[in-house]
């Protein structure tokens, strides 16, 4: 086993549970946490990503947090490289690598391998962004439907990030993204090397209540001010991956419309909660389609004990 994975939708309690689990594995040498979060890699994105505090990082070592400036891009391929390196170093210290997060693409890439895709091209992306600014993303989605109907069918007309990537791949590779999926650039890893425990809430209402409470806590902690500081950075644009993250995208758009009075702050709250629910739904869909997963109800009173038992069982294999 190269590392033990703990995944779950946003607000399912996986981060707090992971801290307790890392300490409970003292008999196994202890554990260190490797973040599987495409937003926590960015410096300055703290409140909106529920980034672990300094006290939590002192309690249990964390990795793959604050790697980049928000103007930079991160990829699944780089995550796999970084996660494998972090896990190897943790194992060399006689400890357990505990990979925790909700970026399901990263888990998929780590456990099953990457498709043979062309690397991102800044010039192509800039040209696509310029066209989208002039025509709108639905127009580019319609173009994608002509070039790669299979990919377009699973994307919303305003899913800027994925539409851009699909058109970029079509231009660079000369073939549709849907054709390239499944063509590995190297030998596929074994998913058994990265056993996965999933926190899957049985109650949608339970998860929705936690999502709302979490967004309210973010607002109370100064989330809007955090986004305003990021928005003031001269090189940062709302189309960049860091600012497409759920919550940040909605807050940036709200600030673009002017100062936030109570009514508009309420609108931001509603938009942020709705977007977070959609994210959670996508995360759960991915988990339910994934095989070889130990599934535990997140809201179960004994969920921490179940996770610990499952982790220990995996480590004994």
């Amino acid at each position: 086993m190269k590392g033990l994975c703990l995944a779950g939708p946003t607000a399912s309690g996986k981060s707090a549970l992971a801290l307790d689990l890392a300490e409970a594995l003292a008999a196994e040498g202890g554990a260190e946490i490797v973040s599987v979060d495409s937003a926590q890699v960015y410096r300055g994105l703290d409140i909106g990503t529920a980034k672990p505090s300094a006290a939590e990082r002192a309690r249990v070592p964390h990795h793959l947090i604050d790697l980049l400036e928000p103007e930079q891009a991160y990829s699944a391929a780089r995550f796999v490289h970084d996660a494998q390196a972090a896990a190897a170093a943790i194992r060399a210290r006689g400890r357990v690598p505990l990979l925790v997060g909700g970026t399901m693409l990263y888990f998929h890439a780590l456990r099953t391998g990457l498709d043979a895709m062309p690397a991102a091209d800044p010039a192509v992306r800039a040209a696509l962004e310029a066209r989208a600014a002039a025509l709108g993303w639905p127009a580019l989605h319609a173009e994608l439907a002509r070039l790669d109907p299979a990919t377009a069918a699973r994307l919303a007309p305003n899913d800027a990030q994925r539409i851009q990537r699909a058109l970029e791949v079509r231009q660079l590779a000369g073939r549709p993204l849907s054709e390239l999926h499944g063509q590995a650039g190297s030998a596929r890893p074994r998913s058994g090397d990265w056993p996965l425990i999933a926190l899957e809430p049985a109650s949608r209402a339970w998860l929705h209540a936690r999502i709302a409470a979490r967004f309210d806590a973010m607002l109370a902690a100064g989330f809007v001010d955090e986004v305003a500081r990021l928005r003031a950075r001269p090189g940062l644009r709302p189309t960049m991956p860091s600012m497409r993250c759920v919550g940040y995208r909605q807050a940036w758009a709200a600030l673009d419309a002017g100062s936030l009075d109570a009514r508009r702050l309420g609108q931001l709250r509603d938009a942020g909660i709705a977007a977070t629910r959609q994210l959670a739904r996508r995360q759960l869909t991915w988990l339910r389609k994934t095989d070889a997963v130990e599934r535990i109800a997140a809201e179960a009173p004994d969920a921490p004990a179940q996770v610990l038992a499952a982790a220990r069982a995996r480590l004994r294999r």
Side-chain angles (χ1 to χ4, degrees), residues 39-53 57 65-66 214 218 221 223 226-227 229-230 248:
Q40 289 187 357
V41 298
Y42 294 110
R43 302 182 192 105
L45 277 67
D46 302 325
I47 297 171
T49 65
K51 194 174 288 180
S53 65
R57 292 190 231 184
I65 291 175
D66 291 339
R214 174 171 163 172
M218 286 165 45
F223 176 56
E226 177 175 278
V227 178
R229 288 193 296 272
L230 290 164
Y248 289 90

Side-chain angles (χ1 to χ4, degrees), residues 9 15 34 76 108 114 121-122 135 161-162 165 169 210 218 241-242 256 272 282 297:
S15 298
V34 179
H108 177 74
L114 289 162
D121 186 305
L135 304 173
Q161 185 172 2
R162 292 177 177 85
R165 178 56 177 161
V169 168
R210 288 179 61 90
M218 286 165 45
S242 61
D256 273 349
R282 293 193 298 270

Side-chain angles (χ1 to χ4, degrees), residues 186-206:
S186 58
R188 292 281 183 183
R190 299 178 303 168
S191 60
D193 290 340
W194 306 93
L196 188 136
I197 300 169
L199 286 175
E200 296 186 18
S203 168
R204 182 181 299 179
W206 179 88

Side-chain angles (χ1 to χ4, degrees), residues 1-3 5 76-77 79-81 83-84 91 99 105-116 182-195 291-292:
M1 188 192 76
K2 295 182 177 180
C5 301
F79 166 78
V80 170
H81 175 272
Q84 289 175 336
R91 290 195 303 270
L99 288 83
L105 172 63
Y106 288 4
F107 277 120
H108 177 74
L110 182 69
R111 299 178 76 241
T112 66
L114 289 162
D115 298 319
Q183 299 186 6
S186 58
R188 292 281 183 183
R190 299 178 303 168
S191 60
D193 290 340
W194 306 93
D291 296 326

Side-chain angles (χ1 to χ4, degrees), residues 27-64:
E28 291 79 7
E32 299 182 22
I33 293 173
V34 179
S35 171
V36 186
D37 191 302
S38 60
Q40 289 187 357
V41 298
Y42 294 110
R43 302 182 192 105
L45 277 67
D46 302 325
I47 297 171
T49 65
K51 194 174 288 180
S53 65
E56 289 168 330
R57 292 190 231 184
R59 180 179 161 193
V60 175
H62 285 65
H63 305 271
L64 307 195

Side-chain angles (χ1 to χ4, degrees), residues 57-287:
R57 292 190 231 184
R59 180 179 161 193
V60 175
H62 285 65
H63 305 271
L64 307 195
I65 291 175
D66 291 339
L67 299 182
L68 305 172
E69 295 301 324
E71 293 83 2
Q72 297 174 286
Y74 198 67
S75 67
R78 179 169 171 185
F79 166 78
V80 170
H81 175 272
D82 291 347
Q84 289 175 336
I90 293 167
R91 290 195 303 270
R93 291 191 285 272
R95 313 195 85 195
V96 177
L98 183 56
L99 288 83
V100 182
T103 301
M104 304 308 174
L105 172 63
Y106 288 4
F107 277 120
H108 177 74
L110 182 69
R111 299 178 76 241
T112 66
L114 289 162
D115 298 319
M117 299 290 178
D121 186 305
V124 171
R125 291 195 168 191
L128 288 168
E129 286 181 8
R131 291 183 59 211
L135 304 173
W137 284 108
L140 270 68
H141 181 267
E143 178 180 331
L144 180 64
R146 295 191 297 272
L147 297 172
D148 186 356
T151 298
R154 62 181 177 81
L155 300 182
N158 284 302
D159 191 343
Q161 185 172 2
R162 292 177 177 85
I163 294 168
Q164 182 189 57
R165 178 56 177 161
L167 288 171
E168 177 188 40
V169 168
R170 180 64 177 79
Q171 181 171 336
L172 294 174
R175 297 171 61 194
L177 179 67
S178 55
E179 287 186 10
L180 293 174
H181 276 313
Q183 299 186 6
S186 58
R188 292 281 183 183
R190 299 178 303 168
S191 60
D193 290 340
W194 306 93
L196 188 136
I197 300 169
L199 286 175
E200 296 186 18
S203 168
R204 182 181 299 179
W206 179 88
L207 183 61
H208 286 181
R210 288 179 61 90
I211 287 171
R214 174 171 163 172
F215 203 84
D216 286 340
M218 286 165 45
L219 291 173
F223 176 56
V224 172
D225 290 338
E226 177 175 278
V227 178
R229 288 193 296 272
L230 290 164
R231 190 166 164 270
R233 294 172 69 117
L236 194 58
R237 300 192 303 277
T239 54
M240 291 179 169
S242 61
M243 292 298 102
R244 288 175 177 160
C245 296
V246 167
Y248 289 90
R249 182 169 66 249
Q250 288 74 31
W252 187 298
L255 288 168
D256 273 349
S259 60
L260 297 184
D261 57 19
R263 181 184 64 83
R264 295 190 57 250
L265 189 61
Q267 291 173 340
L268 166 58
R269 177 185 182 274
D270 292 344
I273 289 173
T276 308
R277 284 184 178 185
Q278 291 169 1
L279 170 61
R281 190 179 305 119
R282 293 193 298 270
Q283 292 167 320
L284 284 168
T285 297
W286 183 88
L287 285 171

